[in-house]
Amino acid sequence: MSTFRSQERLQESLNLLTTLLEKQRVIEALTHKQESKNKELVEALVHRQNLALLQRKLRDLHPADLAHIIEVLPQADRLVVWAELEPYHAAQVLLESSRSVRDWLVAETERPRLVALLGQLDPDDLAYISDSVDPEIVAEVYQSLDAREQSLFQSTIAYPDGSVGHLMSPEFVSVRDGRDLGGALEDVRRRGELPPHTEALFVVDARNVLRGALSLKDLLLREPSAQVSAVMSTDVVSFTPQERASDAARAFERYDLIAAPVVDERGKLVGRLTVDVVMDFLRRQAQSEALLRAGLAGEEDYFAPAWTSAKNRWLWLFVNLLTAFLASRVIGLFESTIQDLVALAALMPIVASVGGNTGNQTVALVIRGLALDRLTRANTGHLLKKELFVGLMNGAVWGTVVGLAAAALYGSVPLGLVMAAAILLNLVVAAMVGCAVPLVLQRLGRDPAQGSSVLLTFTTDCMGFFIFLGLARAFLV
């Protein structure tokens, strides 16, 4: 199915559900206004009919589509849809939903139903969303698991969020290296089914140490008498549970992986990492970085109460307020200069704006380089030199353009020269700060995306005002 068709079907489903919800509200309002002995019976029949239509439609939808639809519905409509989901589908929706919406759904669900739907999850999936659930409820669900499932749950939550161990699945298919292909194929057939995204069997020795991988193609097409050890590939990309998930994601992209084994410090096979989980991780990471760059403290539900959304934005609004105040103090140092030459007040925002745009371009480039591991201690110096020359060239070109425009507009060649020099110097400053801020944040163990734009804007504004007004005081007044 094409992406366009998939999106089209999703939109059709959303429109249908929205129509059903609206129809239910209208009919209930009309029947409620009617004065009749059978009013309660009519309301019950209409309500039941609409819910039956809603339930049939919900059963046909993929959990990912259900999660998307729930996220775009206002909270009142969400509750109606959420209440009609069967436990299995509701549990899958929790997995597919964003953290903010998942937290809200969990908070709005009665304890018995929440326990029932959490019981539908695999141990690793339960561990994945356990941070959104009351520990007492998690403990109650945990007690309902058998010994093997409890062990899997404990092994998953033992690793921190953002690690390979937190994302890995215990579902994999392994085969001993001493088997022949015929025997290995019989072992696979006895399983009855294969875990999703299985393109190869992991080959282990008698101690469960990973030795290689046997592709399904070789398993089916090679001679049954051939030994697994002779056919398997030993060039296998594997990970340890302690590795960062972001590093694993880059490896999946680099080597076009569908699934990869996870081994412990002794090389023993303990799990598997799959491309669908990696894609979900990258999506969440990209959304988080976008929110951090925008100055949001965390993920925000689009239909959360206004008070909740307001608090989520306070931190960086406060930081912005402080930096804006400091920038205004820089301008205050040159009040007499501005009074003598009013044109400066109209021109100085241009200097700050151009510097901010240049710096943001550099910040985006550096953050991307850090995310893809293309920037190291060895090549950082080369990047700084290159961005310095880029800033100089752009400053010379656009400083000249803006300087000529200012000279023509105000009929003052000295003012045009000051404008050109300020643009040149501020673009150089912006390029250097755009490189330095993400690199310093990373060295300090912070997310390079968090606060980079705020710190950059503060620096380019302050330096732009200081350079421009300082040159104006020195050469024009």
Side-chain angles (χ1 to χ4, degrees), residues 33-74:
K33 291 179 180 179
Q34 293 177 355
E35 295 297 333
S36 170
K37 296 180 180 179
N38 299 324
K39 184 177 73 172
E40 293 184 2
L41 177 60
V42 172
E43 286 182 353
L45 289 174
V46 171
H47 184 71
R48 192 178 306 151
Q49 182 182 15
N50 278 280
L51 288 183
L53 290 172
L54 184 63
Q55 289 171 346
R56 284 200 295 270
K57 184 57 185 176
L58 293 176
R59 281 196 294 267
D60 295 336
L61 292 175
H62 189 278
D65 292 339
L66 281 171
H68 172 78
I69 288 171
I70 284 178
E71 292 196 1
V72 301
L73 288 175

Side-chain angles (χ1 to χ4, degrees), residues 92-350:
Q92 296 303 311
V93 165
L94 288 181
L95 289 175
E96 297 289 346
S97 298
S98 63
R99 176 63 186 269
S100 59
V101 174
R102 182 192 308 137
D103 291 346
W104 184 84
L105 290 173
V106 168
E108 294 295 325
T109 306
E110 295 180 355
R111 180 168 182 147
R113 183 177 185 233
L114 185 58
V115 171
L117 65 89
L118 291 178
Q120 302 288 322
L121 295 174
D122 293 331
D124 53 325
D125 290 334
L126 176 62
Y128 172 71
I129 66 170
S130 60
D131 291 341
S132 299
V133 185
D134 188 304
E136 291 185 2
I137 297 178
V138 174
E140 183 176 343
V141 178
Y142 175 80
Q143 293 301 323
S144 67
L145 304 176
D146 59 34
R148 175 181 172 277
E149 291 174 331
Q150 290 182 352
S151 176
L152 293 175
F153 176 82
Q154 291 294 340
S155 64
T156 302
I157 64 172
Y159 302 105
D161 190 17
S163 67
V164 169
H166 195 74
L167 300 180
M168 72 178 182
S169 168
E171 292 186 342
F172 58 84
V173 182
S174 63
V175 60
R176 291 281 292 274
D177 55 355
R179 300 278 282 171
D180 58 30
L181 295 183
L185 184 57
E186 286 298 320
D187 292 341
V188 172
R189 285 174 175 166
R190 277 195 294 269
R191 290 180 60 93
E193 61 179 358
L194 295 176
H197 307 291
T198 298
E199 64 166 356
L201 311 182
F202 301 140
V203 182
V204 297
D205 62 15
R207 297 177 299 137
N208 201 42
V209 174
L210 182 69
R211 294 304 181 190
L214 175 65
S215 70
L216 294 182
K217 175 183 175 181
D218 287 334
L219 179 64
L220 295 174
L221 300 182
R222 294 293 190 97
E223 288 295 328
S225 58
Q227 293 295 305
V228 168
S229 58
V231 177
M232 70 180 187
S233 171
T234 56
D235 184 19
V236 180
V237 177
S238 63
F239 306 101
T240 62
Q242 294 79 16
E243 285 187 69
R244 294 187 305 172
S246 55
D247 294 337
R250 285 190 285 272
F252 265 72
E253 179 187 15
R254 185 179 305 117
Y255 301 114
D256 295 325
L257 301 177
I258 294 178
V262 181
V263 298
D264 63 15
E265 64 277 1
R266 294 172 294 178
K268 292 188 176 183
L269 185 63
V270 294
R272 182 180 70 136
L273 194 61
T274 56
V275 66
D276 59 329
V277 175
V278 171
M279 289 293 290
D280 287 341
F281 169 78
L282 289 175
R283 175 178 55 82
R284 294 194 305 272
Q285 188 179 53
Q287 291 173 346
S288 176
E289 290 181 355
L291 293 172
L292 289 173
R293 285 196 295 270
L296 292 172
E299 189 175 280
E300 185 175 309
D301 182 356
Y302 289 103
F303 299 100
W307 176 248
T308 303
S309 296
K311 289 191 296 182
N312 187 40
R313 307 179 193 189
W314 279 355
L315 174 62
W316 286 106
L317 285 176
F318 176 70
V319 174
N320 278 331
L321 182 62
L322 288 180
T323 57
F325 179 78
L326 291 174
S328 71
R329 289 299 82 212
V330 173
I331 297 174
L333 297 174
F334 298 93
E335 285 182 359
S336 59
T337 305
I338 296 173
Q339 290 175 354
D340 292 339
L341 192 58
V342 179
L344 299 177
L347 292 174
M348 63 183 184
I350 300 175

Side-chain angles (χ1 to χ4, degrees), residues 334 337-338 340-341 344 412-422 425 466-477:
F334 298 93
T337 305
I338 296 173
D340 292 339
L341 192 58
L344 299 177
S412 173
V413 173
L415 178 60
L417 292 174
V418 166
M419 190 71 177
L425 293 175
F466 182 79
I467 292 170
F468 179 54
L469 296 175
L471 290 174
R473 172 178 286 182
F475 296 104
L476 300 179
V477 179

